[in-house]
Short mmCIF file of all heavy atoms in Angstrom, two decimals:
data_model
loop_
_atom_site.label_atom_id
_atom_site.label_comp_id
_atom_site.label_asym_id
_atom_site.label_seq_id
_atom_site.Cartn_x
_atom_site.Cartn_y
_atom_site.Cartn_z
N ALA A 263 -115.91 116.59 58.92
CA ALA A 263 -115.95 117.66 59.91
C ALA A 263 -117.28 117.57 60.64
O ALA A 263 -118.31 117.28 60.03
CB ALA A 263 -115.80 119.02 59.27
N THR A 264 -117.25 117.81 61.93
CA THR A 264 -118.46 117.74 62.73
C THR A 264 -118.39 118.76 63.86
O THR A 264 -117.31 119.17 64.28
CB THR A 264 -118.66 116.32 63.31
OG1 THR A 264 -119.91 116.27 63.99
CG2 THR A 264 -117.57 115.93 64.25
N TYR A 265 -119.56 119.17 64.33
CA TYR A 265 -119.64 120.06 65.49
C TYR A 265 -119.58 119.21 66.75
O TYR A 265 -120.31 118.24 66.88
CB TYR A 265 -120.95 120.85 65.46
CG TYR A 265 -121.12 121.73 66.67
CD1 TYR A 265 -120.36 122.87 66.85
CD2 TYR A 265 -122.04 121.41 67.66
CE1 TYR A 265 -120.50 123.66 67.97
CE2 TYR A 265 -122.21 122.19 68.78
CZ TYR A 265 -121.43 123.32 68.93
OH TYR A 265 -121.56 124.10 70.04
N ASN A 266 -118.68 119.55 67.66
CA ASN A 266 -118.52 118.83 68.91
C ASN A 266 -119.22 119.64 70.00
O ASN A 266 -118.70 120.67 70.44
CB ASN A 266 -117.04 118.64 69.23
CG ASN A 266 -116.79 117.82 70.46
OD1 ASN A 266 -117.57 117.84 71.40
ND2 ASN A 266 -115.68 117.10 70.46
N ILE A 267 -120.36 119.18 70.45
CA ILE A 267 -121.16 119.90 71.44
C ILE A 267 -120.46 119.97 72.80
O ILE A 267 -120.63 120.93 73.55
CB ILE A 267 -122.57 119.29 71.57
CG1 ILE A 267 -123.49 120.22 72.34
CG2 ILE A 267 -122.52 117.91 72.20
CD1 ILE A 267 -124.95 119.84 72.26
N ASN A 268 -119.65 118.97 73.13
CA ASN A 268 -118.97 118.94 74.42
C ASN A 268 -117.88 120.00 74.55
O ASN A 268 -117.61 120.48 75.65
CB ASN A 268 -118.36 117.56 74.67
CG ASN A 268 -119.42 116.49 74.75
OD1 ASN A 268 -120.48 116.71 75.30
ND2 ASN A 268 -119.13 115.33 74.18
N HIS A 269 -117.26 120.36 73.44
CA HIS A 269 -116.18 121.35 73.47
C HIS A 269 -116.54 122.64 72.76
O HIS A 269 -115.71 123.55 72.67
CB HIS A 269 -114.92 120.76 72.84
CG HIS A 269 -114.33 119.64 73.61
ND1 HIS A 269 -114.37 118.34 73.16
CD2 HIS A 269 -113.72 119.60 74.82
CE1 HIS A 269 -113.79 117.56 74.04
NE2 HIS A 269 -113.39 118.30 75.07
N ASN A 270 -117.75 122.74 72.20
CA ASN A 270 -118.16 123.87 71.38
C ASN A 270 -117.09 124.15 70.33
O ASN A 270 -116.51 125.23 70.26
CB ASN A 270 -118.44 125.12 72.22
CG ASN A 270 -119.08 126.22 71.40
OD1 ASN A 270 -119.77 125.96 70.42
ND2 ASN A 270 -118.85 127.46 71.79
N SER A 271 -116.83 123.12 69.53
CA SER A 271 -115.77 123.22 68.54
C SER A 271 -116.16 122.49 67.27
O SER A 271 -117.10 121.70 67.24
CB SER A 271 -114.48 122.62 69.10
OG SER A 271 -114.64 121.23 69.32
N ILE A 272 -115.39 122.77 66.22
CA ILE A 272 -115.50 122.04 64.97
C ILE A 272 -114.31 121.09 64.93
O ILE A 272 -113.16 121.52 65.03
CB ILE A 272 -115.45 122.99 63.75
CG1 ILE A 272 -116.52 124.07 63.84
CG2 ILE A 272 -115.54 122.20 62.45
CD1 ILE A 272 -117.94 123.58 63.80
N ASP A 273 -114.58 119.80 64.81
CA ASP A 273 -113.53 118.79 64.73
C ASP A 273 -113.39 118.37 63.27
O ASP A 273 -114.36 117.94 62.65
CB ASP A 273 -113.87 117.57 65.59
CG ASP A 273 -113.89 117.91 67.07
OD1 ASP A 273 -113.38 118.98 67.45
OD2 ASP A 273 -114.41 117.09 67.84
N ILE A 274 -112.18 118.49 62.75
CA ILE A 274 -111.90 118.20 61.35
C ILE A 274 -110.88 117.07 61.26
O ILE A 274 -109.86 117.09 61.93
CB ILE A 274 -111.35 119.44 60.63
CG1 ILE A 274 -112.34 120.60 60.75
CG2 ILE A 274 -111.02 119.14 59.18
CD1 ILE A 274 -111.78 121.92 60.33
N TYR A 275 -111.18 116.10 60.42
CA TYR A 275 -110.27 114.98 60.16
C TYR A 275 -109.84 115.07 58.70
O TYR A 275 -110.66 115.29 57.82
CB TYR A 275 -110.99 113.66 60.43
CG TYR A 275 -111.51 113.56 61.84
CD1 TYR A 275 -112.78 114.02 62.16
CD2 TYR A 275 -110.72 113.07 62.86
CE1 TYR A 275 -113.26 113.97 63.46
CE2 TYR A 275 -111.19 113.01 64.17
CZ TYR A 275 -112.46 113.46 64.46
OH TYR A 275 -112.93 113.42 65.74
N THR A 276 -108.54 114.86 58.43
CA THR A 276 -108.02 115.00 57.08
C THR A 276 -107.55 113.67 56.50
O THR A 276 -107.35 112.70 57.24
CB THR A 276 -106.82 115.98 57.05
OG1 THR A 276 -105.73 115.38 57.74
CG2 THR A 276 -107.18 117.31 57.69
N TYR A 277 -107.34 113.66 55.18
CA TYR A 277 -106.83 112.47 54.51
C TYR A 277 -105.45 112.08 55.03
O TYR A 277 -105.11 110.91 55.06
CB TYR A 277 -106.73 112.71 53.00
CG TYR A 277 -108.04 112.59 52.28
CD1 TYR A 277 -108.64 113.71 51.71
CD2 TYR A 277 -108.68 111.37 52.17
CE1 TYR A 277 -109.84 113.60 51.04
CE2 TYR A 277 -109.90 111.26 51.52
CZ TYR A 277 -110.46 112.37 50.96
OH TYR A 277 -111.66 112.26 50.31
N ALA A 278 -104.65 113.05 55.41
CA ALA A 278 -103.29 112.78 55.88
C ALA A 278 -103.27 112.24 57.31
O ALA A 278 -102.20 111.95 57.84
CB ALA A 278 -102.45 114.05 55.79
N GLY A 279 -104.43 112.10 57.93
CA GLY A 279 -104.50 111.57 59.28
C GLY A 279 -104.41 112.62 60.37
O GLY A 279 -104.27 112.29 61.54
N TYR A 280 -104.47 113.89 60.00
CA TYR A 280 -104.42 114.96 60.99
C TYR A 280 -105.81 115.24 61.56
O TYR A 280 -106.82 115.05 60.89
CB TYR A 280 -103.87 116.24 60.39
CG TYR A 280 -102.43 116.14 59.98
CD1 TYR A 280 -102.08 116.09 58.64
CD2 TYR A 280 -101.42 116.08 60.93
CE1 TYR A 280 -100.76 115.98 58.25
CE2 TYR A 280 -100.11 115.98 60.56
CZ TYR A 280 -99.78 115.93 59.22
OH TYR A 280 -98.48 115.83 58.84
N PHE A 281 -105.81 115.74 62.78
CA PHE A 281 -107.03 116.15 63.46
C PHE A 281 -106.87 117.61 63.82
O PHE A 281 -105.85 118.01 64.38
CB PHE A 281 -107.23 115.29 64.71
CG PHE A 281 -108.32 115.80 65.61
CD1 PHE A 281 -109.65 115.61 65.28
CD2 PHE A 281 -108.01 116.45 66.80
CE1 PHE A 281 -110.65 116.08 66.12
CE2 PHE A 281 -109.00 116.91 67.63
CZ PHE A 281 -110.32 116.73 67.29
N LEU A 282 -107.84 118.42 63.47
CA LEU A 282 -107.81 119.86 63.76
C LEU A 282 -109.08 120.20 64.52
O LEU A 282 -110.18 119.80 64.11
CB LEU A 282 -107.74 120.66 62.46
CG LEU A 282 -107.88 122.18 62.57
CD1 LEU A 282 -106.67 122.77 63.28
CD2 LEU A 282 -108.03 122.79 61.19
N ARG A 283 -108.95 120.95 65.60
CA ARG A 283 -110.11 121.39 66.38
C ARG A 283 -110.13 122.91 66.38
O ARG A 283 -109.18 123.56 66.78
CB ARG A 283 -110.05 120.85 67.79
CG ARG A 283 -111.19 121.38 68.67
CD ARG A 283 -111.26 120.70 70.00
NE ARG A 283 -111.88 119.38 69.75
CZ ARG A 283 -111.78 118.37 70.59
NH1 ARG A 283 -111.10 118.49 71.70
NH2 ARG A 283 -112.37 117.22 70.32
N ILE A 284 -111.24 123.47 65.92
CA ILE A 284 -111.43 124.91 65.94
C ILE A 284 -112.38 125.24 67.08
O ILE A 284 -113.53 124.81 67.08
CB ILE A 284 -112.02 125.41 64.61
CG1 ILE A 284 -111.04 125.13 63.47
CG2 ILE A 284 -112.33 126.90 64.69
CD1 ILE A 284 -111.60 125.43 62.10
N ASP A 285 -111.90 125.99 68.05
CA ASP A 285 -112.70 126.41 69.20
C ASP A 285 -113.63 127.54 68.75
O ASP A 285 -113.16 128.62 68.38
CB ASP A 285 -111.78 126.87 70.32
CG ASP A 285 -112.51 127.24 71.59
OD1 ASP A 285 -113.74 127.42 71.56
OD2 ASP A 285 -111.84 127.36 72.63
N CYS A 286 -114.92 127.30 68.75
CA CYS A 286 -115.88 128.29 68.28
C CYS A 286 -115.88 129.56 69.13
O CYS A 286 -116.08 130.66 68.61
CB CYS A 286 -117.28 127.69 68.21
SG CYS A 286 -117.44 126.39 66.98
N ASN A 287 -115.65 129.43 70.44
CA ASN A 287 -115.60 130.61 71.29
C ASN A 287 -114.45 131.52 70.89
O ASN A 287 -114.60 132.74 70.81
CB ASN A 287 -115.44 130.21 72.76
CG ASN A 287 -116.67 129.54 73.31
OD1 ASN A 287 -117.79 129.84 72.91
ND2 ASN A 287 -116.48 128.60 74.22
N LYS A 288 -113.28 130.94 70.63
CA LYS A 288 -112.12 131.73 70.21
C LYS A 288 -112.32 132.29 68.80
O LYS A 288 -111.93 133.42 68.53
CB LYS A 288 -110.85 130.88 70.23
CG LYS A 288 -110.40 130.49 71.61
CD LYS A 288 -109.83 131.67 72.32
CE LYS A 288 -109.31 131.24 73.67
NZ LYS A 288 -108.83 132.36 74.45
N ALA A 289 -112.94 131.51 67.93
CA ALA A 289 -113.15 131.96 66.55
C ALA A 289 -114.09 133.16 66.48
O ALA A 289 -113.95 134.01 65.61
CB ALA A 289 -113.71 130.81 65.71
N GLU A 290 -115.02 133.23 67.42
CA GLU A 290 -116.05 134.27 67.38
C GLU A 290 -115.82 135.41 68.37
O GLU A 290 -116.59 136.38 68.36
CB GLU A 290 -117.42 133.64 67.65
CG GLU A 290 -117.83 132.62 66.63
CD GLU A 290 -119.09 131.87 67.00
OE1 GLU A 290 -119.83 132.34 67.90
OE2 GLU A 290 -119.34 130.82 66.39
N GLU A 291 -114.77 135.36 69.17
CA GLU A 291 -114.63 136.34 70.25
C GLU A 291 -114.41 137.77 69.78
O GLU A 291 -114.82 138.70 70.46
CB GLU A 291 -113.54 135.91 71.23
CG GLU A 291 -112.13 136.08 70.75
CD GLU A 291 -111.12 135.61 71.78
OE1 GLU A 291 -111.51 135.22 72.89
OE2 GLU A 291 -109.93 135.62 71.45
N ARG A 292 -113.81 138.00 68.65
CA ARG A 292 -113.57 139.38 68.18
C ARG A 292 -114.51 139.82 67.06
O ARG A 292 -114.35 140.90 66.51
CB ARG A 292 -112.13 139.52 67.72
CG ARG A 292 -111.13 139.30 68.84
CD ARG A 292 -109.74 139.69 68.43
NE ARG A 292 -108.77 139.24 69.41
CZ ARG A 292 -108.34 139.98 70.41
NH1 ARG A 292 -108.80 141.20 70.58
NH2 ARG A 292 -107.45 139.51 71.25
N LEU A 293 -115.50 139.00 66.76
CA LEU A 293 -116.46 139.36 65.72
C LEU A 293 -117.47 140.36 66.24
O LEU A 293 -117.87 140.32 67.40
CB LEU A 293 -117.20 138.11 65.23
CG LEU A 293 -116.39 137.05 64.51
CD1 LEU A 293 -117.30 135.88 64.14
CD2 LEU A 293 -115.72 137.61 63.28
N LYS A 294 -117.88 141.25 65.38
CA LYS A 294 -118.95 142.19 65.70
C LYS A 294 -120.24 141.56 65.17
O LYS A 294 -120.44 141.49 63.95
CB LYS A 294 -118.68 143.53 65.06
CG LYS A 294 -117.46 144.20 65.64
CD LYS A 294 -117.18 145.51 64.98
CE LYS A 294 -115.98 146.12 65.69
NZ LYS A 294 -114.98 146.60 64.81
N THR A 295 -121.09 141.11 66.08
CA THR A 295 -122.30 140.39 65.70
C THR A 295 -123.54 141.02 66.31
O THR A 295 -123.46 141.83 67.23
CB THR A 295 -122.23 138.93 66.16
OG1 THR A 295 -122.13 138.90 67.59
CG2 THR A 295 -121.05 138.19 65.56
N THR A 296 -124.67 140.62 65.77
CA THR A 296 -125.97 140.94 66.35
C THR A 296 -126.56 139.62 66.85
O THR A 296 -126.04 138.55 66.51
CB THR A 296 -126.90 141.55 65.28
OG1 THR A 296 -127.14 140.57 64.27
CG2 THR A 296 -126.31 142.81 64.67
N PRO A 297 -127.62 139.66 67.62
CA PRO A 297 -128.25 138.40 68.04
C PRO A 297 -128.63 137.51 66.86
O PRO A 297 -128.50 136.29 66.92
CB PRO A 297 -129.47 138.85 68.84
CG PRO A 297 -129.08 140.18 69.38
CD PRO A 297 -128.24 140.81 68.30
N CYS A 298 -129.08 138.12 65.78
CA CYS A 298 -129.47 137.34 64.60
C CYS A 298 -128.26 136.67 63.94
O CYS A 298 -128.32 135.50 63.56
CB CYS A 298 -130.18 138.24 63.60
SG CYS A 298 -130.87 137.34 62.22
N SER A 299 -127.16 137.39 63.81
CA SER A 299 -125.98 136.79 63.19
C SER A 299 -125.33 135.76 64.11
O SER A 299 -124.74 134.79 63.62
CB SER A 299 -124.96 137.87 62.77
OG SER A 299 -124.52 138.62 63.86
N GLU A 300 -125.44 135.93 65.41
CA GLU A 300 -124.95 134.91 66.34
C GLU A 300 -125.73 133.61 66.16
O GLU A 300 -125.16 132.52 66.15
CB GLU A 300 -125.06 135.38 67.79
CG GLU A 300 -124.00 136.37 68.19
CD GLU A 300 -124.15 136.79 69.65
OE1 GLU A 300 -124.63 135.98 70.47
OE2 GLU A 300 -123.79 137.93 69.95
N CYS A 301 -127.03 133.73 66.00
CA CYS A 301 -127.87 132.56 65.77
C CYS A 301 -127.50 131.89 64.44
O CYS A 301 -127.42 130.67 64.35
CB CYS A 301 -129.33 132.99 65.76
SG CYS A 301 -130.48 131.63 65.54
N ALA A 302 -127.24 132.70 63.42
CA ALA A 302 -126.85 132.15 62.12
C ALA A 302 -125.49 131.45 62.20
O ALA A 302 -125.29 130.40 61.58
CB ALA A 302 -126.81 133.27 61.08
N LEU A 303 -124.56 132.01 62.98
CA LEU A 303 -123.26 131.36 63.17
C LEU A 303 -123.41 130.02 63.88
O LEU A 303 -122.76 129.04 63.52
CB LEU A 303 -122.33 132.26 63.98
CG LEU A 303 -121.49 133.26 63.21
CD1 LEU A 303 -120.76 134.19 64.17
CD2 LEU A 303 -120.52 132.58 62.29
N ASN A 304 -124.26 129.98 64.90
CA ASN A 304 -124.49 128.73 65.61
C ASN A 304 -125.09 127.67 64.68
O ASN A 304 -124.66 126.52 64.69
CB ASN A 304 -125.42 128.95 66.81
CG ASN A 304 -124.77 129.75 67.90
OD1 ASN A 304 -123.55 129.82 67.99
ND2 ASN A 304 -125.57 130.38 68.74
N ALA A 305 -126.05 128.08 63.87
CA ALA A 305 -126.66 127.14 62.93
C ALA A 305 -125.65 126.67 61.89
O ALA A 305 -125.62 125.50 61.52
CB ALA A 305 -127.85 127.80 62.24
#
Side-chain angles (χ1 to χ4, degrees):
T264 185
Y265 177 72
N266 184 328
I267 194 168
N268 297 322
H269 294 110
N270 189 28
S271 65
I272 304 296
D273 294 346
I274 303 169
Y275 302 89
T276 68
Y277 281 113
Y280 294 108
F281 169 75
L282 172 68
R283 175 171 283 161
I284 297 173
D285 184 346
C286 294
N287 291 328
K288 292 287 184 184
E290 298 173 16
E291 74 181 356
R292 297 190 191 267
L293 295 178
K294 294 179 177 132
T295 61
T296 63
C298 187
S299 60
E300 283 181 31
C301 182
L303 272 173
N304 291 339

